[in-house]
Amino acid sequence: MQPFTAEVIRIIQSIPEGKVMTYGQVAALAGSPRAARQVVRVLHTMSEKHALPWHRVVNKLGEISMTQDEQRLIQEMKLEDEGVELGLDRRIDLSKYQA
């Protein structure tokens, strides 16, 4: 496993319940601020294997990036179960919930 990948996994595992991080934020904390797409890759391929709280990672606008309705709904429900509120525009207020 590459050091960047290991660090991304560690960071995502450390996101507290009821908080979110952006893909870019995770990438920057892992040492590569321009690698947000790599964070997406790690989430896609390693969430299940490493029991990552994938639902706590959103885009820079506080939006859920899932395109499939079922996955989007699952992510919304998981966040709401943790107390994260989505606005009427389905965005998360990053000033309130960002870790």
mmCIF file of all heavy atoms in Angstrom, residues 5 8 10 14 21 23-24 32-34 37 55 58 60 77 79:
data_model
loop_
_atom_site.group_PDB
_atom_site.id
_atom_site.type_symbol
_atom_site.label_atom_id
_atom_site.label_comp_id
_atom_site.label_asym_id
_atom_site.label_seq_id
_atom_site.Cartn_x
_atom_site.Cartn_y
_atom_site.Cartn_z
ATOM 1 N N THR A 5 -2.086 6.431 0.278
ATOM 2 C CA THR A 5 -3.305 5.639 0.477
ATOM 3 C C THR A 5 -3.496 5.297 1.944
ATOM 4 O O THR A 5 -4.604 5.427 2.483
ATOM 5 C CB THR A 5 -3.247 4.353 -0.368
ATOM 6 O OG1 THR A 5 -3.112 4.711 -1.743
ATOM 7 C CG2 THR A 5 -4.483 3.493 -0.177
ATOM 8 N N VAL A 8 -4.657 8.403 3.754
ATOM 9 C CA VAL A 8 -6.064 8.696 3.448
ATOM 10 C C VAL A 8 -6.974 7.801 4.289
ATOM 11 O O VAL A 8 -7.945 8.268 4.891
ATOM 12 C CB VAL A 8 -6.351 8.535 1.935
ATOM 13 C CG1 VAL A 8 -7.855 8.499 1.654
ATOM 14 C CG2 VAL A 8 -5.686 9.649 1.149
ATOM 15 N N ARG A 10 -6.297 6.368 7.160
ATOM 16 C CA ARG A 10 -6.193 6.797 8.560
ATOM 17 C C ARG A 10 -7.033 8.054 8.808
ATOM 18 O O ARG A 10 -7.771 8.136 9.793
ATOM 19 C CB ARG A 10 -4.732 7.066 8.930
ATOM 20 C CG ARG A 10 -4.548 7.379 10.421
ATOM 21 C CD ARG A 10 -3.215 8.017 10.716
ATOM 22 N NE ARG A 10 -3.070 9.346 10.161
ATOM 23 C CZ ARG A 10 -3.659 10.440 10.638
ATOM 24 N NH1 ARG A 10 -4.460 10.373 11.661
ATOM 25 N NH2 ARG A 10 -3.456 11.613 10.068
ATOM 26 N N SER A 14 -10.585 8.596 11.052
ATOM 27 C CA SER A 14 -10.568 9.501 12.207
ATOM 28 C C SER A 14 -11.663 10.571 12.164
ATOM 29 O O SER A 14 -11.785 11.343 13.120
ATOM 30 C CB SER A 14 -9.197 10.182 12.317
ATOM 31 O OG SER A 14 -9.046 11.186 11.324
ATOM 32 N N MET A 21 -15.785 15.655 6.127
ATOM 33 C CA MET A 21 -14.616 16.253 5.497
ATOM 34 C C MET A 21 -14.866 16.246 3.997
ATOM 35 O O MET A 21 -15.627 15.420 3.492
ATOM 36 C CB MET A 21 -13.337 15.470 5.796
ATOM 37 C CG MET A 21 -12.773 15.676 7.166
ATOM 38 S SD MET A 21 -11.158 14.841 7.272
ATOM 39 C CE MET A 21 -10.545 15.558 8.765
ATOM 40 N N TYR A 23 -13.359 15.833 0.031
ATOM 41 C CA TYR A 23 -12.337 15.028 -0.642
ATOM 42 C C TYR A 23 -11.016 15.791 -0.669
ATOM 43 O O TYR A 23 -9.960 15.230 -0.398
ATOM 44 C CB TYR A 23 -12.755 14.697 -2.082
ATOM 45 C CG TYR A 23 -14.026 13.896 -2.165
ATOM 46 C CD1 TYR A 23 -15.226 14.502 -2.532
ATOM 47 C CD2 TYR A 23 -14.037 12.534 -1.906
ATOM 48 C CE1 TYR A 23 -16.401 13.773 -2.628
ATOM 49 C CE2 TYR A 23 -15.201 11.792 -1.997
ATOM 50 C CZ TYR A 23 -16.378 12.422 -2.353
ATOM 51 O OH TYR A 23 -17.544 11.700 -2.438
ATOM 52 N N GLY A 24 -11.083 17.078 -0.997
ATOM 53 C CA GLY A 24 -9.878 17.894 -1.053
ATOM 54 C C GLY A 24 -9.226 18.071 0.297
ATOM 55 O O GLY A 24 -7.993 18.104 0.406
ATOM 56 N N SER A 32 -1.190 15.650 -0.206
ATOM 57 C CA SER A 32 -1.276 15.894 -1.648
ATOM 58 C C SER A 32 -2.557 16.667 -1.964
ATOM 59 O O SER A 32 -3.571 16.083 -2.353
ATOM 60 C CB SER A 32 -1.243 14.571 -2.402
ATOM 61 O OG SER A 32 -1.112 14.780 -3.776
ATOM 62 N N PRO A 33 -2.532 17.996 -1.791
ATOM 63 C CA PRO A 33 -3.744 18.804 -1.909
ATOM 64 C C PRO A 33 -4.489 18.713 -3.239
ATOM 65 O O PRO A 33 -5.663 19.028 -3.297
ATOM 66 C CB PRO A 33 -3.268 20.228 -1.661
ATOM 67 C CG PRO A 33 -1.821 20.185 -1.435
ATOM 68 C CD PRO A 33 -1.361 18.769 -1.487
ATOM 69 N N ARG A 34 -3.819 18.264 -4.270
ATOM 70 C CA ARG A 34 -4.476 18.187 -5.579
ATOM 71 C C ARG A 34 -4.957 16.776 -5.907
ATOM 72 O O ARG A 34 -5.264 16.466 -7.054
ATOM 73 C CB ARG A 34 -3.513 18.690 -6.650
ATOM 74 C CG ARG A 34 -3.139 20.152 -6.405
ATOM 75 C CD ARG A 34 -2.264 20.657 -7.478
ATOM 76 N NE ARG A 34 -3.032 20.602 -8.726
ATOM 77 C CZ ARG A 34 -2.803 21.352 -9.773
ATOM 78 N NH1 ARG A 34 -1.831 22.211 -9.758
ATOM 79 N NH2 ARG A 34 -3.537 21.240 -10.856
ATOM 80 N N ARG A 37 -9.301 13.350 -6.354
ATOM 81 C CA ARG A 37 -9.811 12.196 -7.121
ATOM 82 C C ARG A 37 -9.206 10.895 -6.618
ATOM 83 O O ARG A 37 -9.843 9.843 -6.690
ATOM 84 C CB ARG A 37 -9.539 12.377 -8.604
ATOM 85 C CG ARG A 37 -10.435 13.432 -9.202
ATOM 86 C CD ARG A 37 -10.276 13.524 -10.683
ATOM 87 N NE ARG A 37 -11.128 14.594 -11.191
ATOM 88 C CZ ARG A 37 -11.383 14.795 -12.444
ATOM 89 N NH1 ARG A 37 -10.851 13.994 -13.352
ATOM 90 N NH2 ARG A 37 -12.149 15.778 -12.829
ATOM 91 N N HIS A 55 -19.452 7.672 4.240
ATOM 92 C CA HIS A 55 -20.551 8.626 4.162
ATOM 93 C C HIS A 55 -20.177 9.995 4.729
ATOM 94 O O HIS A 55 -20.869 10.968 4.491
ATOM 95 C CB HIS A 55 -21.776 8.067 4.896
ATOM 96 C CG HIS A 55 -21.545 7.803 6.347
ATOM 97 N ND1 HIS A 55 -20.838 6.690 6.785
ATOM 98 C CD2 HIS A 55 -21.891 8.502 7.453
ATOM 99 C CE1 HIS A 55 -20.788 6.723 8.114
ATOM 100 N NE2 HIS A 55 -21.407 7.809 8.532
ATOM 101 N N VAL A 58 -17.640 14.381 1.610
ATOM 102 C CA VAL A 58 -18.505 15.077 0.661
ATOM 103 C C VAL A 58 -17.662 15.981 -0.232
ATOM 104 O O VAL A 58 -16.464 16.162 0.011
ATOM 105 C CB VAL A 58 -19.591 15.890 1.389
ATOM 106 C CG1 VAL A 58 -20.517 14.968 2.198
ATOM 107 C CG2 VAL A 58 -18.980 16.951 2.306
ATOM 108 N N LYS A 60 -16.580 19.712 -2.106
ATOM 109 C CA LYS A 60 -16.196 21.004 -1.535
ATOM 110 C C LYS A 60 -17.370 21.950 -1.323
ATOM 111 O O LYS A 60 -17.242 22.945 -0.615
ATOM 112 C CB LYS A 60 -15.138 21.677 -2.406
ATOM 113 C CG LYS A 60 -15.616 22.075 -3.781
ATOM 114 C CD LYS A 60 -14.494 22.667 -4.592
ATOM 115 C CE LYS A 60 -14.983 23.007 -5.996
ATOM 116 N NZ LYS A 60 -13.868 23.540 -6.797
ATOM 117 N N MET A 77 -29.066 9.272 4.746
ATOM 118 C CA MET A 77 -29.626 8.674 5.956
ATOM 119 C C MET A 77 -28.553 8.447 7.020
ATOM 120 O O MET A 77 -28.785 8.717 8.198
ATOM 121 C CB MET A 77 -30.343 7.366 5.615
ATOM 122 C CG MET A 77 -31.627 7.588 4.860
ATOM 123 S SD MET A 77 -32.480 6.098 4.235
ATOM 124 C CE MET A 77 -32.060 4.824 5.340
ATOM 125 N N LEU A 79 -25.767 10.106 7.412
ATOM 126 C CA LEU A 79 -25.381 11.407 7.961
ATOM 127 C C LEU A 79 -26.459 11.950 8.902
ATOM 128 O O LEU A 79 -26.160 12.435 9.990
ATOM 129 C CB LEU A 79 -25.092 12.400 6.833
ATOM 130 C CG LEU A 79 -23.807 12.130 6.053
ATOM 131 C CD1 LEU A 79 -23.752 12.988 4.799
ATOM 132 C CD2 LEU A 79 -22.584 12.355 6.924
#
